[in-house]
Coordinates of all heavy atoms in Angstrom, one line a residue:
S1310 N -2.5 -6.5 -10.9 CA -2.8 -5.2 -11.5 C -3.6 -4.3 -10.4 O -3.3 -3.1 -10.4 CB -3.6 -5.2 -12.8 OG -2.8 -5.8 -13.7
V1311 N -4.6 -4.9 -9.9 CA -5.4 -4.2 -9.0 C -4.6 -3.7 -7.7 O -4.8 -2.5 -7.3 CB -6.6 -5.1 -8.5 CG1 -7.4 -4.4 -7.3 CG2 -7.5 -5.4 -9.6
N1312 N -3.8 -4.6 -7.1 CA -3.1 -4.3 -6.0 C -2.0 -3.2 -6.1 O -1.6 -2.7 -5.1 CB -2.5 -5.7 -5.4 CG -3.5 -6.5 -4.7 OD1 -4.1 -6.2 -3.8 ND2 -3.7 -7.7 -5.3
Y1313 N -1.5 -3.1 -7.3 CA -0.5 -2.0 -7.4 C -0.9 -1.0 -8.4 O -1.0 0.2 -8.1 CB 0.9 -2.6 -7.9 CG 1.9 -1.6 -8.1 CD1 2.5 -1.0 -6.9 CD2 2.3 -1.2 -9.4 CE1 3.4 0.0 -7.1 CE2 3.2 -0.1 -9.4 CZ 3.8 0.5 -8.4 OH 4.6 1.5 -8.5
I1314 N -1.1 -1.3 -9.7 CA -1.4 -0.3 -10.8 C -2.7 0.3 -10.5 O -2.7 1.6 -10.7 CB -1.5 -1.0 -12.1 CG1 -0.2 -1.7 -12.5 CG2 -1.9 -0.1 -13.2 CD1 -0.1 -2.5 -13.6
G1315 N -3.7 -0.4 -10.0 CA -5.0 0.3 -9.7 C -4.9 1.4 -8.7 O -5.3 2.5 -8.8
A1316 N -4.1 1.0 -7.5 CA -4.0 1.8 -6.3 C -3.2 3.2 -6.8 O -3.5 4.3 -6.6 CB -3.4 1.2 -5.2
V1317 N -2.0 2.9 -7.6 CA -1.2 3.9 -7.9 C -1.8 4.9 -8.9 O -1.5 6.1 -8.8 CB 0.3 3.4 -8.4 CG1 1.2 4.4 -9.0 CG2 1.0 2.7 -7.2
S1318 N -2.5 4.3 -9.8 CA -3.1 5.2 -10.8 C -4.2 6.2 -10.1 O -4.2 7.3 -10.6 CB -3.9 4.3 -11.8 OG -3.0 3.4 -12.5
L1319 N -4.9 5.6 -9.2 CA -5.8 6.6 -8.4 C -5.1 7.6 -7.6 O -5.5 8.8 -7.7 CB -6.8 5.6 -7.7 CG -7.9 4.9 -8.5 CD1 -8.6 4.0 -7.4 CD2 -8.8 5.8 -9.1
L1320 N -4.1 7.2 -6.9 CA -3.4 8.0 -6.1 C -2.8 9.1 -6.8 O -2.7 10.3 -6.4 CB -2.4 7.4 -5.2 CG -3.0 6.5 -4.1 CD1 -2.0 5.6 -3.4 CD2 -3.6 7.4 -3.0
N1321 N -2.2 8.8 -8.1 CA -1.6 9.8 -8.8 C -2.5 10.9 -9.3 O -2.1 12.0 -9.5 CB -1.0 9.2 -10.1 CG 0.4 8.5 -9.8 OD1 1.0 8.8 -8.8 ND2 0.8 7.6 -10.6
I1322 N -3.8 10.6 -9.5 CA -4.8 11.6 -9.8 C -5.2 12.4 -8.5 O -5.2 13.6 -8.5 CB -6.1 10.8 -10.5 CG1 -5.8 10.3 -11.7 CG2 -7.2 11.9 -10.4 CD1 -6.7 9.3 -12.3
I1323 N -5.3 11.7 -7.4 CA -5.7 12.3 -6.1 C -4.8 13.3 -5.6 O -5.2 14.3 -5.1 CB -6.1 11.2 -5.2 CG1 -7.4 10.4 -5.7 CG2 -6.3 11.8 -3.7 CD1 -7.6 9.2 -4.8
I1324 N -3.5 12.9 -5.7 CA -2.5 13.7 -5.1 C -2.4 15.2 -5.8 O -2.0 16.2 -5.2 CB -1.1 13.1 -4.9 CG1 -0.6 12.8 -6.4 CG2 -1.1 11.9 -4.1 CD1 0.8 12.3 -6.4
E1325 N -2.7 15.3 -6.9 CA -2.7 16.6 -7.7 C -3.6 17.5 -7.0 O -3.3 18.7 -6.9 CB -3.0 16.4 -9.2 CG -2.0 15.6 -9.9 CD -0.6 16.1 -9.8 OE1 -0.4 17.4 -9.9 OE2 0.3 15.4 -9.6
D1326 N -4.8 17.1 -6.6 CA -5.8 17.9 -5.9 C -5.2 18.3 -4.6 O -5.3 19.5 -4.1 CB -7.1 17.3 -5.8 CG -8.0 18.1 -5.1 OD1 -8.3 19.3 -5.5 OD2 -8.7 17.6 -4.0
F1327 N -4.6 17.3 -3.8 CA -4.0 17.5 -2.5 C -3.0 18.5 -2.6 O -2.8 19.4 -1.6 CB -3.5 16.3 -2.0 CG -4.5 15.4 -1.3 CD1 -5.8 15.1 -1.9 CD2 -4.4 14.8 -0.2 CE1 -6.7 14.2 -1.5 CE2 -5.4 14.0 0.4 CZ -6.5 13.6 -0.1
K1328 N -2.0 18.5 -3.7 CA -1.0 19.4 -3.7 C -1.5 20.9 -3.9 O -0.9 21.7 -3.5 CB -0.1 18.9 -4.8 CG 0.7 17.8 -4.4 CD 1.8 17.4 -5.3 CE 1.7 17.3 -6.8 NZ 2.8 16.8 -7.7
I1329 N -2.6 21.0 -4.6 CA -3.1 22.3 -4.9 C -3.7 22.9 -3.6 O -3.5 24.0 -3.2 CB -4.3 22.3 -5.8 CG1 -3.8 22.0 -7.3 CG2 -5.1 23.5 -5.9 CD1 -4.9 21.7 -8.4
R1330 N -4.3 22.0 -2.7 CA -4.9 22.5 -1.4 C -3.8 22.6 -0.3 O -4.0 23.2 0.7 CB -5.9 21.5 -0.9 CG -7.1 21.5 -1.8 CD -8.2 20.7 -1.2 NE -7.8 19.2 -1.2 CZ -8.4 18.3 -0.4 NH1 -9.3 18.6 0.4 NH2 -8.0 17.1 -0.4
K1331 N -2.7 22.0 -0.6 CA -1.5 22.0 0.4 C -1.9 21.4 1.8 O -1.5 21.8 2.8 CB -1.0 23.4 0.5 CG -0.3 23.9 -0.6 CD 1.2 24.0 -0.5 CE 1.8 24.7 -1.8 NZ 2.6 23.8 -2.5
S1332 N -2.9 20.4 1.6 CA -3.2 19.7 2.9 C -3.8 18.5 2.6 O -4.4 18.2 1.4 CB -4.2 20.6 3.9 OG -5.4 20.8 3.2
G1333 N -4.0 17.6 3.6 CA -4.8 16.4 3.3 C -4.1 15.2 4.0 O -3.0 15.1 4.5
S1334 N -4.8 14.0 3.9 CA -4.3 12.7 4.5 C -4.7 11.6 3.5 O -5.8 11.6 3.0 CB -4.9 12.5 5.9 OG -4.6 13.3 6.8
I1335 N -3.7 10.9 3.3 CA -3.7 9.6 2.3 C -3.6 8.4 3.3 O -2.6 8.4 3.9 CB -2.9 9.7 1.2 CG1 -3.2 10.8 0.3 CG2 -3.0 8.3 0.5 CD1 -2.2 11.1 -0.8
I1336 N -4.6 7.5 3.3 CA -4.4 6.2 4.0 C -4.6 5.1 3.2 O -5.6 5.0 2.4 CB -5.4 6.2 5.3 CG1 -5.2 7.5 6.1 CG2 -5.3 4.9 6.0 CD1 -6.3 7.6 7.2
A1337 N -3.6 4.2 3.0 CA -3.7 3.2 2.1 C -3.4 1.8 2.9 O -2.8 1.8 3.9 CB -2.6 3.2 1.0
I1338 N -4.0 0.8 2.3 CA -3.9 -0.5 2.9 C -3.0 -1.4 2.0 O -3.2 -1.6 0.9 CB -5.3 -1.3 3.2 CG1 -6.1 -0.4 4.1 CG2 -5.0 -2.6 3.7 CD1 -7.5 -0.9 4.2
S1339 N -1.8 -1.8 2.7 CA -0.8 -2.8 2.0 C -1.0 -4.0 2.9 O -1.9 -4.5 3.4 CB 0.5 -2.2 1.9 OG 1.2 -2.9 1.1
S1340 N 0.2 -4.8 2.8 CA 0.2 -6.0 3.5 C 1.6 -6.4 4.0 O 2.6 -6.0 3.3 CB -0.3 -7.1 2.6 OG -0.1 -8.4 3.2
V1341 N 1.7 -7.2 5.1 CA 3.0 -7.6 5.4 C 3.5 -8.7 4.4 O 4.6 -9.0 4.5 CB 2.9 -8.3 6.9 CG1 2.6 -7.3 7.9 CG2 2.0 -9.4 7.0
A1342 N 2.6 -9.2 3.5 CA 3.1 -10.0 2.5 C 4.1 -9.3 1.7 O 4.9 -10.2 0.9 CB 1.9 -10.5 1.6
G1343 N 4.3 -8.1 1.7 CA 5.2 -7.4 0.9 C 6.5 -7.2 1.6 O 7.7 -6.8 0.9
V1344 N 6.6 -7.7 2.8 CA 7.9 -7.6 3.4 C 8.9 -8.6 3.2 O 10.1 -8.4 2.9 CB 7.6 -7.6 5.1 CG1 8.9 -7.8 5.9 CG2 6.7 -6.5 5.5
R1345 N 8.5 -9.8 2.8 CA 9.3 -11.0 2.5 C 8.6 -11.9 1.5 O 7.4 -12.2 1.6 CB 9.6 -11.7 3.7 CG 10.3 -12.9 3.6 CD 10.8 -13.4 5.1 NE 9.7 -13.9 5.8 CZ 9.8 -14.1 7.1 NH1 10.9 -13.9 7.7 NH2 8.8 -14.6 7.8
G1346 N 9.3 -12.3 0.5 CA 8.7 -13.2 -0.5 C 8.3 -14.5 0.0 O 9.2 -15.2 0.8
R1347 N 7.1 -15.1 -0.3 CA 6.7 -16.3 0.3 C 6.3 -17.2 -0.9 O 5.8 -16.8 -2.0 CB 5.4 -16.1 1.3 CG 5.7 -15.2 2.4 CD 5.4 -16.1 3.6 NE 5.6 -15.2 4.8 CZ 6.5 -15.6 5.7 NH1 7.1 -16.7 5.7 NH2 6.6 -14.8 6.8
Q1348 N 6.5 -18.4 -0.8 CA 6.3 -19.4 -1.8 C 5.0 -19.4 -2.4 O 4.7 -19.3 -3.6 CB 6.6 -20.9 -1.3 CG 6.4 -21.9 -2.3 CD 6.7 -23.3 -1.7 OE1 7.6 -23.4 -0.9 NE2 6.2 -24.3 -2.2
M1349 N 3.8 -19.2 -1.5 CA 2.4 -19.5 -2.1 C 1.9 -18.0 -2.5 O 1.0 -18.1 -3.3 CB 1.6 -19.9 -0.9 CG 2.0 -21.3 -0.5 SD 0.7 -22.1 0.6 CE -0.7 -22.3 -0.5
N1350 N 2.5 -16.9 -2.3 CA 2.0 -15.6 -2.7 C 3.0 -14.6 -3.1 O 2.7 -13.4 -2.8 CB 1.0 -15.2 -1.6 CG 1.7 -14.7 -0.4 OD1 2.9 -14.9 -0.2 ND2 1.0 -14.0 0.5
F1351 N 4.0 -15.0 -3.8 CA 5.0 -14.0 -4.1 C 4.7 -13.0 -5.0 O 5.1 -11.9 -5.0 CB 6.3 -14.8 -4.4 CG 6.3 -15.5 -5.7 CD1 6.6 -15.0 -6.9 CD2 5.9 -16.9 -5.5 CE1 6.5 -15.7 -8.2 CE2 5.9 -17.6 -6.8 CZ 6.2 -17.0 -8.0
V1352 N 3.7 -13.3 -5.9 CA 3.2 -12.3 -6.9 C 2.5 -11.1 -6.2 O 2.7 -10.1 -6.4 CB 2.5 -12.9 -8.1 CG1 1.9 -11.9 -8.9 CG2 3.4 -13.9 -8.9
Y1353 N 1.5 -11.6 -5.4 CA 0.8 -10.7 -4.6 C 1.7 -9.9 -3.7 O 1.6 -8.6 -3.6 CB -0.3 -11.5 -3.7 CG -0.8 -10.8 -2.5 CD1 -2.1 -9.8 -3.0 CD2 -0.5 -10.7 -1.3 CE1 -2.6 -9.1 -2.0 CE2 -1.2 -10.2 -0.3 CZ -2.2 -9.2 -0.6 OH -2.9 -8.5 0.2
G1354 N 2.6 -10.6 -3.0 CA 3.7 -9.9 -2.1 C 4.4 -8.9 -2.9 O 4.8 -7.8 -2.3
S1355 N 4.9 -9.2 -4.1 CA 5.7 -8.3 -4.9 C 4.8 -7.0 -5.2 O 5.3 -5.9 -5.1 CB 6.2 -8.9 -6.2 OG 5.1 -9.2 -7.1
A1356 N 3.5 -7.2 -5.4 CA 2.7 -6.0 -5.7 C 2.6 -5.2 -4.4 O 2.5 -3.9 -4.4 CB 1.2 -6.5 -6.2
K1357 N 2.4 -5.8 -3.3 CA 2.3 -5.1 -2.0 C 3.7 -4.4 -1.7 O 3.7 -3.3 -1.0 CB 1.8 -6.1 -0.9 CG 0.3 -6.4 -1.1 CD -0.6 -5.3 -1.3 CE -2.0 -5.6 -1.2 NZ -3.0 -4.5 -1.3
A1358 N 4.7 -5.1 -1.9 CA 6.0 -4.4 -1.7 C 6.2 -3.2 -2.5 O 6.8 -2.1 -2.1 CB 7.2 -5.5 -2.1
G1359 N 5.7 -3.3 -3.9 CA 5.8 -2.1 -4.7 C 4.9 -0.9 -4.1 O 5.3 0.2 -4.1
L1360 N 3.7 -1.3 -3.6 CA 2.8 -0.4 -3.2 C 3.4 0.4 -2.0 O 3.3 1.7 -1.8 CB 1.4 -0.9 -2.8 CG 0.4 0.0 -2.3 CD1 0.2 1.2 -3.4 CD2 -0.9 -0.7 -1.9
T1361 N 3.9 -0.5 -1.1 CA 4.6 0.1 0.3 C 5.7 1.1 -0.2 O 5.9 2.1 0.4 CB 5.1 -1.0 1.0 OG1 4.0 -1.8 1.4 CG2 5.7 -0.5 2.3
T1362 N 6.5 0.8 -1.2 CA 7.7 1.6 -1.6 C 7.1 2.8 -2.2 O 7.6 4.0 -2.0 CB 8.7 0.8 -2.5 OG1 9.1 -0.4 -1.8 CG2 9.8 1.6 -2.9
Y1363 N 6.1 2.7 -3.1 CA 5.6 3.9 -3.8 C 5.0 4.8 -2.7 O 5.2 6.0 -2.7 CB 4.4 3.3 -4.7 CG 3.5 4.5 -5.1 CD1 3.9 5.3 -6.2 CD2 2.3 4.9 -4.4 CE1 3.0 6.3 -6.6 CE2 1.5 5.9 -4.8 CZ 2.0 6.6 -6.0 OH 1.2 7.7 -6.3
L1364 N 4.3 4.4 -1.6 CA 3.8 5.1 -0.6 C 4.9 5.8 0.3 O 4.7 6.9 0.6 CB 2.9 4.3 0.4 CG 1.5 3.8 -0.3 CD1 0.9 2.8 0.6 CD2 0.6 5.0 -0.5
S1365 N 5.9 5.1 0.4 CA 7.1 5.7 1.2 C 7.6 6.9 0.4 O 7.8 8.0 0.9 CB 8.1 4.7 1.3 OG 9.3 5.2 2.0
G1366 N 7.8 6.8 -1.0 CA 8.3 7.8 -1.8 C 7.3 9.0 -1.8 O 7.6 10.1 -1.7
L1367 N 6.1 8.6 -1.8 CA 4.9 9.7 -1.9 C 4.9 10.4 -0.7 O 4.8 11.6 -0.6 CB 3.5 8.9 -2.1 CG 2.4 9.8 -2.4 CD1 2.6 10.6 -3.7 CD2 1.2 8.9 -2.3
R1368 N 5.1 9.8 0.5 CA 5.2 10.3 1.8 C 6.2 11.5 1.9 O 6.1 12.5 2.3 CB 5.3 9.3 3.0 CG 5.5 9.9 4.3 CD 5.7 8.8 5.4 NE 4.7 7.7 5.3 CZ 4.8 6.6 4.7 NH1 6.1 6.2 4.4 NH2 3.9 5.6 4.7
N1369 N 7.5 11.0 1.4 CA 8.8 11.9 1.4 C 8.4 13.1 0.5 O 8.7 14.3 0.7 CB 9.9 11.2 0.9 CG 10.3 10.3 2.0 OD1 10.4 10.7 3.1 ND2 10.8 9.1 1.6
M1370 N 7.7 13.0 -0.7 CA 7.5 14.0 -1.6 C 6.4 14.9 -1.1 O 6.5 16.2 -1.2 CB 6.9 13.4 -2.9 CG 6.7 14.5 -4.0 SD 6.0 13.9 -5.5 CE 4.3 13.6 -5.1
L1371 N 5.3 14.5 -0.4 CA 4.3 15.3 -0.1 C 4.4 16.0 1.3 O 3.6 16.8 1.7 CB 3.0 14.5 0.0 CG 2.6 14.0 -1.4 CD1 1.3 13.1 -1.3 CD2 2.4 15.1 -2.4
Y1372 N 5.4 15.5 2.0 CA 5.7 16.1 3.5 C 5.7 17.6 3.4 O 5.2 18.3 4.3 CB 7.0 15.5 4.0 CG 7.4 16.2 5.3 CD1 6.7 15.7 6.5 CD2 8.3 17.0 5.5 CE1 7.1 16.2 7.8 CE2 8.6 17.7 6.7 CZ 7.9 17.2 7.8 OH 8.3 17.8 9.0
K1373 N 6.4 18.2 2.4 CA 6.5 19.6 2.4 C 5.3 20.3 2.1 O 5.3 21.5 2.3 CB 7.5 20.0 1.2 CG 7.1 19.7 -0.1 CD 8.2 20.0 -1.1 CE 7.8 19.7 -2.6 NZ 7.0 18.6 -2.8
D1374 N 4.3 19.6 1.6 CA 2.9 20.2 1.3 C 1.9 20.0 2.3 O 0.8 20.1 2.2 CB 2.5 19.7 0.0 CG 3.3 20.2 -1.3 OD1 3.6 21.4 -1.3 OD2 3.4 19.3 -2.2
N1375 N 2.4 19.5 3.5 CA 1.5 19.2 4.7 C 0.6 18.1 4.4 O -0.6 18.2 4.8 CB 0.9 20.5 5.2 CG 0.2 20.4 6.6 OD1 0.8 19.7 7.4 ND2 -0.9 21.0 6.7
I1376 N 0.9 17.1 3.6 CA 0.0 16.0 3.2 C 0.6 14.8 4.0 O 1.8 14.5 3.7 CB -0.1 15.9 1.8 CG1 -0.6 17.2 1.1 CG2 -1.0 14.7 1.4 CD1 -0.5 17.2 -0.3
S1377 N -0.1 14.0 4.7 CA 0.3 13.0 5.4 C 0.0 11.7 4.6 O -1.1 11.7 4.0 CB -0.2 12.8 6.8 OG -1.6 12.6 6.7
V1378 N 0.9 10.8 4.6 CA 0.6 9.4 4.0 C 0.9 8.3 4.9 O 1.9 8.2 5.5 CB 1.5 9.3 2.7 CG1 1.3 7.9 2.0 CG2 1.4 10.4 1.7
T1379 N -0.2 7.6 5.2 CA -0.2 6.5 6.1 C -0.4 5.2 5.4 O -1.3 5.0 4.6 CB -1.3 6.6 7.3 OG1 -1.1 7.9 7.8 CG2 -1.2 5.6 8.3
N1380 N 0.5 4.2 5.8 CA 0.4 2.9 5.2 C 0.1 1.9 6.1 O 0.8 1.7 7.1 CB 1.7 2.6 4.4 CG 1.6 1.3 3.7 OD1 0.7 0.8 3.4 ND2 2.8 0.8 3.3
I1381 N -1.0 1.2 6.1 CA -1.6 0.2 7.0 C -1.0 -1.1 6.5 O -1.5 -1.6 5.3 CB -3.0 0.3 7.3 CG1 -3.3 1.6 7.8 CG2 -3.4 -0.9 8.3 CD1 -4.9 1.9 8.0
L1382 N -0.2 -1.8 7.2 CA 0.2 -3.2 6.8 C -0.6 -4.2 7.6 O -0.3 -4.6 8.7 CB 1.8 -3.3 7.0 CG 2.6 -2.4 6.3 CD1 4.1 -2.6 6.7 CD2 2.5 -2.7 4.9
L1383 N -1.5 -4.8 6.9 CA -2.4 -5.8 7.4 C -1.6 -7.1 7.4 O -0.7 -7.5 6.6 CB -3.6 -6.0 6.7 CG -4.7 -4.8 6.7 CD1 -5.8 -5.1 5.8 CD2 -5.1 -4.5 8.1
G1384 N -1.9 -8.0 8.4 CA -1.3 -9.2 8.5 C -2.3 -10.3 7.9 O -3.1 -9.8 7.1
P1385 N -2.1 -11.5 8.1 CA -3.0 -12.5 7.5 C -4.4 -12.3 7.8 O -4.8 -12.1 8.9 CB -2.5 -13.8 8.2 CG -1.1 -13.7 8.6 CD -1.1 -12.2 9.1
T1386 N -5.1 -12.5 6.9 CA -6.7 -12.4 6.9 C -7.3 -13.5 6.1 O -6.9 -13.9 5.2 CB -7.2 -11.0 6.4 OG1 -6.8 -10.8 5.0 CG2 -6.6 -9.8 7.2
Y1387 N -8.6 -13.8 6.5 CA -9.3 -14.9 5.9 C -10.1 -14.3 4.8 O -11.0 -13.5 4.9 CB -10.2 -15.6 6.9 CG -9.5 -16.3 8.0 CD1 -9.2 -15.7 9.3 CD2 -8.9 -17.5 7.7 CE1 -8.5 -16.2 10.3 CE2 -8.3 -18.2 8.7 CZ -8.0 -17.7 10.0 OH -7.4 -18.3 11.0
T1388 N -9.7 -14.7 3.6 CA -10.3 -14.3 2.3 C -10.3 -15.5 1.4 O -9.9 -16.5 1.7 CB -9.6 -13.1 1.6 OG1 -8.2 -13.6 1.2 CG2 -9.3 -12.0 2.6
R1389 N -10.9 -15.3 0.3 CA -11.0 -16.4 -0.8 C -9.6 -16.6 -1.3 O -9.2 -17.8 -1.4 CB -11.8 -16.0 -2.0 CG -13.3 -16.0 -1.8 CD -14.2 -15.8 -3.0 NE -13.9 -14.4 -3.4 CZ -14.2 -13.9 -4.5 NH1 -14.6 -14.8 -5.5 NH2 -13.9 -12.8 -4.9
M1390 N -8.7 -15.6 -1.4 CA -7.3 -15.9 -1.8 C -6.6 -16.8 -0.7 O -5.7 -17.5 -1.2 CB -6.6 -14.6 -2.0 CG -5.2 -14.8 -2.5 SD -4.3 -13.1 -2.6 CE -3.7 -13.0 -0.9
S1391 N -6.9 -16.7 0.4 CA -6.1 -17.3 1.5 C -6.7 -18.7 1.9 O -6.3 -19.4 2.8 CB -5.9 -16.5 2.8 OG -7.3 -16.2 3.4
A1392 N -7.8 -19.2 1.2 CA -8.5 -20.4 1.5 C -7.6 -21.4 1.4 O -6.7 -21.6 0.3 CB -9.7 -20.6 0.7
G1393 N -7.4 -22.3 2.4 CA -6.5 -23.4 2.3 C -5.1 -23.1 2.8 O -4.3 -24.1 2.9
H1394 N -4.8 -21.9 3.1 CA -3.4 -21.4 3.5 C -3.3 -21.7 5.1 O -4.4 -21.3 5.8 CB -3.1 -20.1 3.2 CG -2.9 -19.9 1.7 ND1 -2.2 -18.8 1.1 CD2 -3.4 -20.6 0.6 CE1 -2.3 -18.9 -0.1 NE2 -2.9 -20.0 -0.5
N1395 N -2.2 -21.9 5.5 CA -2.0 -21.9 7.1 C -1.7 -20.4 7.4 O -0.6 -19.9 7.1 CB -0.8 -22.8 7.4 CG -0.5 -22.8 8.8 OD1 -1.4 -22.2 9.7 ND2 0.5 -23.5 9.2
L1396 N -2.6 -19.8 8.0 CA -2.5 -18.3 8.3 C -1.7 -18.2 9.7 O -2.3 -17.4 10.5 CB -3.8 -17.6 8.3 CG -4.6 -17.6 7.0 CD1 -5.8 -16.9 7.2 CD2 -3.7 -17.0 5.9
M1397 N -0.6 -18.6 9.8 CA 0.3 -18.2 11.0 C 0.7 -16.8 10.9 O 1.0 -16.2 9.7 CB 1.5 -19.2 10.9 CG 1.1 -20.7 11.0 SD 0.3 -21.0 12.7 CE 1.6 -20.7 13.8
P1398 N 0.8 -16.2 12.0 CA 1.3 -14.7 12.0 C 2.7 -14.6 11.4 O 3.6 -15.5 11.6 CB 1.3 -14.4 13.4 CG 0.5 -15.4 14.1 CD 0.6 -16.7 13.2
V1399 N 3.0 -13.6 10.7 CA 4.3 -13.3 10.2 C 5.1 -12.6 11.2 O 4.7 -11.7 11.7 CB 4.2 -12.5 8.8 CG1 5.7 -12.1 8.4 CG2 3.4 -13.1 7.8
L1400 N 6.3 -13.2 11.5 CA 7.0 -12.6 12.6 C 8.2 -12.0 12.0 O 8.9 -12.2 11.0 CB 7.5 -13.6 13.6 CG 6.4 -14.3 14.3 CD1 7.0 -15.3 15.2 CD2 5.6 -13.3 15.1

């Protein structure tokens, strides 16, 4: 819920102000985990895939209003969620 619904809910509110101003930049953090389903984190990956697709559509919609949307796809990071995982780089 946090990784998709939380981010999208906030962005849907924020973009209304941006559209009125006809300018701005949105920078969001997603993950390479959304690129391909993995056995150990496919639910997390599916949320990140959804967020990445949402941001792509948002970017296309807001382009005409001079609003940029940047999506940063982080690779493996050491967090409580990744404890015990082999954090090999995703190629």
Side-chain angles (χ1 to χ4, degrees):
S1310 292
V1311 171
N1312 285 299
Y1313 181 75
I1314 296 170
V1317 169
S1318 297
L1319 288 173
L1320 286 169
N1321 284 339
I1322 294 168
I1323 292 167
I1324 62 173
E1325 293 307 314
D1326 181 57
F1327 280 49
K1328 288 191 316 190
I1329 291 168
R1330 292 186 298 160
K1331 297 253 186 239
S1332 69
S1334 297
I1335 295 169
I1336 301 171
I1338 299 173
S1339 190
S1340 172
V1341 296
V1344 173
R1345 168 172 76 193
R1347 300 239 182 235
Q1348 179 177 332
M1349 293 190 72
N1350 67 349
F1351 64 89
V1352 173
Y1353 171 79
S1355 68
K1357 291 303 185 176
L1360 179 60
T1361 296
T1362 301
Y1363 168 85
L1364 292 167
S1365 178
L1367 190 63
R1368 181 180 306 108
N1369 286 314
M1370 181 183 77
L1371 298 176
Y1372 175 80
K1373 68 183 180 327
D1374 292 321
N1375 194 37
I1376 300 166
S1377 67
V1378 178
T1379 302
N1380 185 11
I1381 299 170
L1382 296 174
L1383 294 179
T1386 56
Y1387 293 97
T1388 65
R1389 284 186 294 160
M1390 183 186 81
S1391 67
H1394 293 200
N1395 181 6
L1396 295 182
M1397 297 296 292
V1399 177
L1400 302 175

